[in-house]
Amino acid sequence: MTEFVLVAGAWLGARAWDEVVPELRAAGHGAHPLTLSGLAEKGNVPAGQGTHVQDIVGEIERLDLRDVVLVGHSYAGIPTGQAAERIGDRLARVVFVDSNVPADGESFVSAWPSGRAMAEAAIAENDGRWPPLAADDFAGQGLTDEQITRLVNGSTPHPGASLTEPAKLAGSLADLPATYIKCLLDGDEPAEDVAELLKGERWRLVEMDTGHWPMFSQPRELARILVREGTES
């Protein structure tokens, strides 16, 4: 049995996976959605990016999970990629869902030449937290009005330190068994760093004809892909 550990991106907690988890369990696998510190029901917990890495590693160790498929969406690809490196032979595969990937010494906002100052200003103006998106910001992402409402209602401010702290990697992400899911409504091609990793023998690319939040827009299809990717060598 494969154990899926599911980590949503900025502003979201474990509830983001509510429609994916039953599909994974119905297929006979374990599914463990995780809320990172500083978000959703853990909103009062101080958190930096290193805290989020430890949240993931700690949950896997606490549950003594083996044959783990780590799934990181959007921002969560950064702590998930680092956690994948740290859990050793517990890891079966890491799946990046339309996500950022960590680079040693770089942060989530490092790759934003024009948006970094805007994000940092928004964090400074909101007591160290990144404010969630409004409903209009989800337009063009393959979401119904009901799904957008769920997204907005499920979002909480994101701890700003997790976006500005640098990642720490001991080795190369190219050495990890990995799948990258590219959501085409959010751009036709993976980012340059991801495209480079996909040249390696251990990385695979899967495309979804939907937007940046497939756990809301296409949860069954996402679950089907996760099962396939998580159980194939």
Side-chain angles (χ1 to χ4, degrees):
M1 182 176 73
T2 300
E3 303 284 1
F4 290 89
V5 176
L6 308 158
V7 192
W11 311 298
L12 298 169
R15 294 294 303 273
W17 304 97
D18 277 359
E19 294 188 37
V20 176
V21 166
E23 301 291 331
L24 297 176
R25 291 176 178 166
H29 303 290
H32 310 277
L34 177 64
T35 295
L36 297 174
S37 296
L39 291 157
E41 71 274 13
K42 298 180 182 177
N44 293 326
V45 180
Q49 191 250 124
T51 312
H52 288 168
V53 177
Q54 188 53 46
D55 284 342
I56 299 166
V57 174
E59 184 73 353
I60 292 166
E61 293 177 345
R62 183 183 71 83
L63 298 174
D64 194 22
L65 300 178
R66 306 281 172 172
D67 197 22
V68 172
V69 175
L70 268 176
V71 182
H73 162 254
S74 193
Y75 154 78
I78 293 179
T80 296
Q82 293 168 83
E85 183 181 71
R86 297 183 193 184
I87 63 173
D89 62 5
R90 294 176 185 266
L91 181 72
R93 179 163 288 271
V94 56
V95 180
F96 296 96
V97 182
D98 214 43
S99 75
N100 300 76
V101 295
D104 189 55
E106 301 293 335
S107 71
F108 177 74
V109 297
S110 292
W112 296 13
S114 59
R116 177 173 183 168
M118 187 183 303
E120 290 178 341
I123 291 167
E125 292 168 4
N126 288 274
D127 298 321
R129 305 178 75 81
W130 195 23
L133 298 178
D136 290 348
D137 296 315
F138 295 100
Q141 294 295 315
L143 295 155
T144 66
D145 289 345
E146 180 183 355
Q147 289 163 348
I148 290 173
T149 297
R150 281 184 55 222
L151 257 168
V152 171
N153 290 345
S155 296
T156 55
H158 191 96
S162 68
L163 308 174
T164 58
E165 286 182 4
K168 297 179 181 179
L169 289 171
S172 171
L173 285 181
D175 295 332
L176 296 175
T179 297
Y180 192 89
I181 298 176
K182 183 71 194 81
C183 297
L184 298 177
L185 294 183
D186 198 48
D188 293 340
E189 301 289 339
E192 289 183 9
D193 55 349
V194 175
E196 190 63 30
L197 288 163
L198 286 165
K199 294 177 182 178
E201 295 181 356
R202 306 204 77 189
W203 278 60
R204 298 196 289 249
L205 175 66
V206 176
E207 295 178 342
M208 290 186 71
D209 189 16
T210 190
H212 185 62
W213 291 271
M215 66 280 278
F216 290 89
S217 60
Q218 292 188 7
R220 288 185 177 179
E221 176 64 8
L222 177 58
R224 185 188 69 79
I225 291 169
L226 293 178
V227 169
R228 184 190 70 206
E229 291 298 306
T231 55
E232 289 183 3
S233 59

